[in-house]
Each structure stands twice: as structure tokens, then as C-alpha cells.
């Protein structure tokens, strides 16, 4: 069974528990922390997947390290260790975030700009583009990109809305080249 399918099943089970207990935000935050820790510490995954490290040692190590997690999330992590599927954590977190966003009517997006945008500008972008994609709002992460010259570029999933000056110059250049041909 592929990692994506396994991760989706675990994410759905956790999401249903979170929805019943009204802890979607908390579970999402906890899964993102676990994902970050495992990505930033590849040696941790090496220990958790190493066949010579006893299963009980792996589980007690994770239980101590993540003692502050809610019980369902911690139990899921321990179950993943037990079933030798701990490597699906990034995909599990990704699927859970998608389910949570669908429930809230929101979408994650990245806005590229030459300077940090203030909250009013981010809110205006969120309101405008959320309507275009049929969502209530966007959770925007602002990334500085000096190559834009000015304006903004917005990435929502695999869609890019380019309102940057460099993007406009590239479009003009393509039009001019096409007319010469």
C-alpha cells in the first residue's frame, strides 16, 4: 500500500476524532510540530526505523519527547512506530491540514512580495482571492522575493496568480517575441 494511501487513512481517522472533540486546530498544530521535528532531525527517523532498536524503546522515547501531545495524536504516532510506518508523518500532516482546511472553508497560500505586507494588505488579498477559488478565506504566508521588482505573486496549491512587475515584463516580452515570428 502506498505512503499516500496509508497517510490519508490515518489522517482521516485523526480528523474524525478531532472533529468530534472540536480539537481540529490543536491536532493540526501538533501534527505540524511532529512533522517539523522529524524533518529537521533525520537521525530521529533513522533511530525509529532501525531494526536493532527495540520497539518498546522507540515508543517510550517518543512518549517522553512528545508527552504534551493530545492522547489521540500520541497514540497515532505510537501506532505508526509499531506498524513500521513512521515515515508517513509528512504525508499524514499534509492530509490532515487539507481536511482541516476543507472543514473551515479555507486554503493555505503563499504570497511573494518585495517587502513584508501588513495585515490589512494580507486581509485584502485573502478576501479577493478566496472568492475566486470558492473558499471563505486564505491562510497566507508572506515570503520576500526581491526578484519581483514590485507587486505580488500568489501561489494557491498549484495555481499561481502573478501580479508582479517582473511577471508583467515577462508577459510583454513573450507577446513581442510572438509578434515578430
Amino acid at each position: 500500500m502506498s505512503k499516500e494511501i496509508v497517510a490519508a487513512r490515518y489522517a482521516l481517522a485523526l480528523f474524525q476524532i478531532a472533529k468530534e472533540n472540536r480539537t481540529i486546530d490543536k491536532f493540526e498544530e501538533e501534527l505540524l510540530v511532529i512533522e517539523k521535528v522529524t524533518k529537521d532531525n533525520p537521525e530521529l527517523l533513522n533511530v525509529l526505523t532501525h531494526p536493532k532498536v527495540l520497539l518498546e524503546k522507540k515508543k517510550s522515547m517518543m512518549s517522553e519527547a512528545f508527552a504534551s501531545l493530545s492522547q489521540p495524536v500520541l497514540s497515532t504516532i505510537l501506532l505508526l512506530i509499531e506498524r513500521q510506518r513512521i515515515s508517513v508523518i509528512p504525508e499524514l500532516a499534509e492530509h490532515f491540514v487539507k481536511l482541516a482546511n476543507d472543514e473551515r472553508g479555507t486554503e493555505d497560500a503563499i504570497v511573494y512580495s518585495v517587502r513584508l505586507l501588513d495585515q490589512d494588505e494580507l486581509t485584502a488579498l485573502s478576501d479577493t482571492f478566496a472568492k475566486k477559488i470558492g473558499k471563505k478565506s486564505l491562510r497566507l504566508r508572506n515570503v520576500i522575493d526581491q526578484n519581483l521588482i514590485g507587486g505580488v505573486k500568489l501561489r494557491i496549491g498549484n495555481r499561481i496568480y502573478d501580479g508582479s512587475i517582473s511577471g508583467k515584463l515577462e508577459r510583454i516580452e513573450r507577446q513581442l517575441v510572438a509578434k515578430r515570428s
Side-chain angles (χ1 to χ4, degrees), residues 21-173:
N21 298 330
R22 294 183 176 89
T23 55
I24 294 173
D25 293 339
K26 182 179 182 184
F27 281 23
E28 179 180 22
E29 183 181 315
E30 290 176 353
L31 286 169
L32 291 174
V33 166
I34 295 166
E35 176 190 28
K36 182 169 176 30
V37 168
T38 56
K39 274 186 179 175
D40 293 349
N41 302 296
E43 33 318 313
L44 174 64
L45 273 180
N46 290 340
V47 169
L48 293 173
T49 57
H50 199 285
K52 289 191 177 181
V53 178
L54 296 174
L55 177 62
E56 290 310 314
K57 180 66 177 163
K58 294 175 188 178
K59 289 168 89 174
S60 70
M61 183 176 68
M62 290 299 279
S63 293
E64 289 174 25
F66 294 108
S68 63
L69 292 179
S70 58
Q71 192 56 47
V73 174
L74 182 58
S75 295
T76 301
I77 298 307
L78 296 177
L79 188 62
L80 289 172
I81 292 169
E82 192 175 298
R83 295 191 177 165
Q84 300 174 356
R85 292 184 167 163
I86 196 69
S87 63
V88 304
I89 286 178
E91 292 85 359
L92 173 104
E94 183 182 318
H95 282 286
F96 189 93
V97 168
K98 182 167 178 14
L99 290 167
N101 283 346
D102 289 346
E103 179 70 18
R104 293 185 203 109
T106 189
E107 185 78 34
D108 288 331
I110 301 171
V111 60
Y112 299 92
S113 60
V114 292
R115 64 171 175 77
L116 280 177
L117 301 177
D118 63 36
Q119 193 56 47
D120 291 339
E121 292 168 322
L122 290 172
T123 302
L125 281 170
S126 174
D127 292 345
T128 302
F129 284 93
K131 291 174 188 167
K132 288 185 180 199
I133 63 167
K135 298 287 184 178
K136 291 179 187 173
S137 66
L138 295 177
R139 286 194 311 185
L140 296 173
R141 183 170 55 99
N142 196 185
V143 174
I144 304 300
D145 184 354
Q146 296 298 330
N147 296 326
L148 295 180
I149 304 172
V152 296
K153 184 164 55 171
L154 190 68
R155 180 183 192 108
I156 307 169
N158 60 1
R159 291 170 285 188
I160 296 177
Y161 299 92
D162 192 349
S164 67
I165 293 174
S166 59
K168 289 177 184 177
L169 290 172
E170 287 174 17
R171 287 189 293 277
I172 291 170
E173 179 184 21

